[in-house]
């Protein structure tokens, strides 16, 4: 079915599942660290986990590494240094690999940032959300606006110049002016990257059970359209639904996900997608989700493993690539999936007829209309038969 002669670029994701406090909107695999964090044991588990994954990626080099959470900045600089050197000892990292760590401004100081920088972290992603104290309190953050500003300044002093700020809009009772003020404040700080998410209410969160009053659809639309213009005018170019970057500063790790590259995932609940030229398969796996179950596992930490069919791959490729403003080329489709372009010719043609896609010299892009009707556009890629069997 697949015909890989070479495999797509490879990334590595490391999940740290603890936070100081659980935010009321957050559905990530993150747990309040009430009794401290078993840092050393967890690092050992991460390395054992990586070792188990290695045979699936023999001979390959990691192009980007992302330590996400949870709150990875709760780990000591010493722990992060040990983690990175243990990883490097087992799998080659590209010399200029992008190595990101997610940080919560309520958990960092300059010494910690300096330690992270020395350990080899070269990109920070800071969960700022807002710079306004009343909004931060309304979403249960552990830091205020001035702590966010101090954290960014400390990170710079520690030598970080590649910094992403996470911001959210559509916060409880937020006005359009407040949302735009947050963007202005962020842009004045000149981070290389801004992730600007609309707050979503996820099942299994406090906000799901106790919904806050949020801006209405008209206000959200105004925030989004005006905000996008402000960002573009300040040289922050949108390249994915919520991702904006200065020229050349797109997040290489996330871009690899969206371009349907391969990635290993180690840590509690981490997901992976690996193409294998020897077995001509593409497999998705996930690891034991609960940190304690993950820590207690003695050998196998894989919780689910699914071999993808060609139909799965076509749908997943579309779900990711059609979100990107740059679209994709027919060559990129074949590199990522090993399938011939003819496998999606009908879907592309129908998308063009409906005004949702354009094609120019083998390069396919989603139109503004297509972005608006993204779900309908993706329906064109849905297989009609049951897609896959999952082993647990
Ligand atoms: C893992 S967190 C980032 C690091 C750290 N845990 C923190 O919050 O500071 C990833 C980001 O996802 C975004 N996020 C989380 N839950 C969200 C939700 N329900 N709606 C929109 N964005 C959300 C937030 O901007 C958050 O910073
Ligand atoms: S700090 Fe980040 S990961 Fe932790 S609960 Fe809040 S949003 Fe979720």
């Amino acid at each position: 079915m697949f015909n890989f002669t070479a495999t797509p670029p490879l990334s590595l994701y490391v999940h740290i599942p603890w936070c100081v406090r659980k935010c009321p909107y957050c559905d990530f695999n993150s747990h309040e660290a009430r009794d401290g964090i078993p840092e050393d044991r967890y690092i050992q588990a991460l390395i054992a986990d990586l070792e188990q994954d290695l045979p699936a990626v023999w001979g390959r080099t990691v192009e980007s590494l992302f330590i996400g959470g949870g709150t990875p900045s709760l780990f000591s600089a010493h722990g992060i240094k040990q983690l990175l050197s243990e990883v490097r000892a087992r799998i080659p990292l590209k010399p200029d690999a992008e190595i990101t760590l997610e940080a919560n401004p309520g958990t960092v100081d300059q010494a910690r940032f300096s330690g992270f920088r020395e350990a080899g972290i070269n990109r920070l992603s800071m969960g700022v959300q807002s710079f306004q104290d009343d909004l931060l309190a309304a979403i249960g953050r552990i830091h205020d606006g001035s702590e966010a500003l101090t954290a960014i300044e400390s990170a710079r002093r520690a030598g970080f110049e590649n910094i992403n700020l996470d911001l959210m809009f559509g916060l409880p009772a937020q006005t359009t002016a407040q949302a735009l003020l947050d963007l202005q404040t962020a842009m004045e700080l000149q981070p290389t990257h801004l992730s600007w998410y609309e707050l979503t209410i996820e099942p299994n969160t406090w906000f799901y059970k106790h919904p806050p009053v949020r801006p209405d659809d008209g206000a959200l639309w105004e925030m989004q359209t005006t905000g996008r213009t402000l960002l573009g005018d300040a040289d922050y170019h949108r390249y994915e639904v919520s991702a904006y970057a200065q020229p050349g500063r797109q997040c290489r790790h996330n871009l690899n996900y969206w371009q349907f590259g391969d990635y290993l995932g180690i840590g509690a609940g981490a997901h992976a997608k690996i193409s294998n030229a020897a077995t001509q398969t593409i497999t998705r796996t996930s690891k034991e989700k609960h940190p304690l179950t993950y820590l207690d596992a003695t050998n196998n930490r894989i919780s689910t493993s699914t071999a993808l069919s060609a139909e799965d791959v076509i749908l997943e490729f579309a779900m990711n690539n059609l979100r990107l403003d740059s679209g994709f080329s027919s060559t990129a489709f074949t590199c990522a999936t090993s399938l011939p372009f003819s496998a999606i010719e009908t879907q592309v043609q129908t998308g063009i007829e409906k005004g949702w896609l354009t094609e120019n010299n083998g390069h396919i892009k989603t139109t503004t209309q297509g972005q608006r009707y993204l779900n309908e556009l993706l329906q064109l890629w849905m297989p009609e038969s049951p897609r896959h069997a999952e082993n647990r």
Side-chain angles (χ1 to χ4, degrees), residues 25-26 28 69-71 102-105 127 129 141 166 168 197-200 202:
Y25 54 86
C26 178
F28 285 70
T71 306
E102 276 185 342
N104 180 320
Q129 322 310 347
R141 296 292 292 181
D166 281 344
M168 292 196 292
Y197 302 109
E198 178 180 340
L199 173 70
T200 55
E202 307 289 340

Side-chain angles (χ1 to χ4, degrees), residues 122-181:
N122 55 29
R123 183 173 182 274
L124 278 180
S125 179
M126 299 248 238
V128 170
Q129 322 310 347
S130 171
F131 291 97
Q132 296 163 59
D133 293 349
D134 51 344
L135 293 171
L136 288 167
I139 56 167
R141 296 292 292 181
I142 59 165
H143 57 88
D144 61 21
S146 78
E147 280 170 299
L149 292 172
T150 308
I152 296 162
E153 202 185 306
S154 305
R156 287 239 167 83
R157 274 209 224 105
F160 284 102
E161 52 84 37
N162 199 4
I163 298 177
N164 166 59
L165 305 182
D166 281 344
L167 289 179
M168 292 196 292
F169 69 97
L171 301 179
Q174 187 183 41
T175 63
T176 304
Q178 283 177 314
L180 300 179
L181 179 62

Side-chain angles (χ1 to χ4, degrees), residues 178-216:
Q178 283 177 314
L180 300 179
L181 179 62
D182 273 337
L183 271 188
Q184 284 291 1
T185 310
M187 291 184 301
E188 277 161 24
L189 294 164
Q190 288 284 299
T192 49
H193 193 285
L194 277 165
S195 298
W196 194 45
Y197 302 109
E198 178 180 340
L199 173 70
T200 55
I201 303 298
E202 307 289 340
N204 301 318
T205 61
W206 175 266
F207 274 176
Y208 191 75
K209 287 185 214 108
H210 309 274
V213 178
R214 285 188 300 152
D216 62 29

Side-chain angles (χ1 to χ4, degrees), residues 96-304:
D96 68 339
E98 176 189 272
I99 306 179
T100 307
L101 178 129
E102 276 185 342
N104 180 320
T107 62
V108 277
D109 53 31
Q110 182 146 358
R112 194 174 280 250
F113 277 135
S114 298
F116 290 152
R117 188 73 192 90
E118 277 160 31
I121 303 293
N122 55 29
R123 183 173 182 274
L124 278 180
S125 179
M126 299 248 238
V128 170
Q129 322 310 347
S130 171
F131 291 97
Q132 296 163 59
D133 293 349
D134 51 344
L135 293 171
L136 288 167
I139 56 167
R141 296 292 292 181
I142 59 165
H143 57 88
D144 61 21
S146 78
E147 280 170 299
L149 292 172
T150 308
I152 296 162
E153 202 185 306
S154 305
R156 287 239 167 83
R157 274 209 224 105
F160 284 102
E161 52 84 37
N162 199 4
I163 298 177
N164 166 59
L165 305 182
D166 281 344
L167 289 179
M168 292 196 292
F169 69 97
L171 301 179
Q174 187 183 41
T175 63
T176 304
Q178 283 177 314
L180 300 179
L181 179 62
D182 273 337
L183 271 188
Q184 284 291 1
T185 310
M187 291 184 301
E188 277 161 24
L189 294 164
Q190 288 284 299
T192 49
H193 193 285
L194 277 165
S195 298
W196 194 45
Y197 302 109
E198 178 180 340
L199 173 70
T200 55
I201 303 298
E202 307 289 340
N204 301 318
T205 61
W206 175 266
F207 274 176
Y208 191 75
K209 287 185 214 108
H210 309 274
V213 178
R214 285 188 300 152
D216 62 29
D217 286 350
L220 286 172
W221 179 250
E222 200 188 349
M223 288 175 195
Q224 217 165 352
T225 46
T226 319
R228 202 180 290 178
T229 308
L230 284 179
L231 283 158
D233 290 348
D235 224 15
Y236 287 96
H237 303 283
R238 194 177 92 129
Y239 64 103
E240 189 266 351
V241 176
S242 309
Y244 297 79
Q246 290 181 335
R249 296 303 196 135
Q250 288 130 327
C251 174
R252 275 145 59 182
H253 187 86
N254 285 342
L255 208 49
N256 190 43
Y257 290 152
W258 295 322
Q259 290 175 336
F260 205 61
D262 278 358
Y263 51 95
L264 288 171
I266 59 171
H271 290 251
K273 176 232 146 194
I274 296 294
S275 315
N276 190 322
T279 53
Q280 293 296 336
T281 52
I282 305 180
T283 309
R284 279 200 180 282
T285 52
S286 69
K287 301 291 168 59
E288 287 294 350
K289 193 166 178 193
H290 198 280
L292 297 181
T293 323
Y294 179 84
L295 277 168
D296 287 344
T298 42
N299 46 27
N300 191 356
R301 289 183 167 78
I302 293 178
S303 161
T304 64

Side-chain angles (χ1 to χ4, degrees), residues 12 35 38 73 83 92 173 257 383:
L12 171 61
D35 309 316
S73 53
L83 171 67
Y257 290 152

